[in-house]
Amino acid sequence: MSRKGSLLSLRDRDSATTIVATAENKVSATNVVGSDSKQVAPSRQGKKAMTGYFSQEMSFAMHMTARKHGMSLQGAMADAFNDWLRKMGESPVGK
């Protein structure tokens, strides 16, 4: 497997290994062949990703300011989006 494009080749493999953590904090590996189902982290269930491309300076400022105030970047972005919605006369929708 070549290094270039290796993530794509992993995606297209016939079988994949899934790591599963049990209640006793033991980790086991299970081979999944041809599985089309995607597991979603509980924190992402019912949510949709929104992305944007910003300058390195903006990214750095947002990450540092969020950390300085004990927030995640996602939380800071949710606050900013809710402030923008208020500014536009809409109701904030939470996180």
Side-chain angles (χ1 to χ4, degrees):
M1 178 181 329
S2 67
R3 294 205 28 98
K4 186 174 182 178
S6 62
L7 291 177
L8 290 175
S9 64
L10 284 175
R11 179 195 67 188
D12 296 332
R13 289 190 336 193
D14 287 341
S15 65
T17 300
T18 303
I19 306 293
V20 179
T22 64
E24 298 86 24
N25 292 326
K26 296 178 184 175
V27 176
S28 63
T30 306
N31 284 330
V32 179
V33 178
S35 174
D36 290 332
S37 63
K38 294 181 181 179
Q39 291 185 359
V40 178
S43 61
R44 292 183 178 181
Q45 289 179 356
K47 296 183 180 176
K48 183 165 179 64
M50 296 186 341
T51 62
Y53 291 88
F54 302 95
S55 68
Q56 291 180 0
E57 295 83 8
M58 174 63 83
S59 176
F60 182 77
M62 290 295 295
H63 278 90
M64 292 304 293
T65 304
R67 175 170 278 197
K68 182 170 122 179
H69 292 278
M71 301 173 72
S72 66
L73 182 60
Q74 183 170 328
M77 290 170 64
D79 284 352
F81 292 159
N82 280 323
D83 288 346
W84 183 77
L85 287 169
R86 284 186 200 97
K87 180 181 174 183
M88 296 295 123
E90 302 294 332
S91 296
V93 294
K95 298 178 183 185

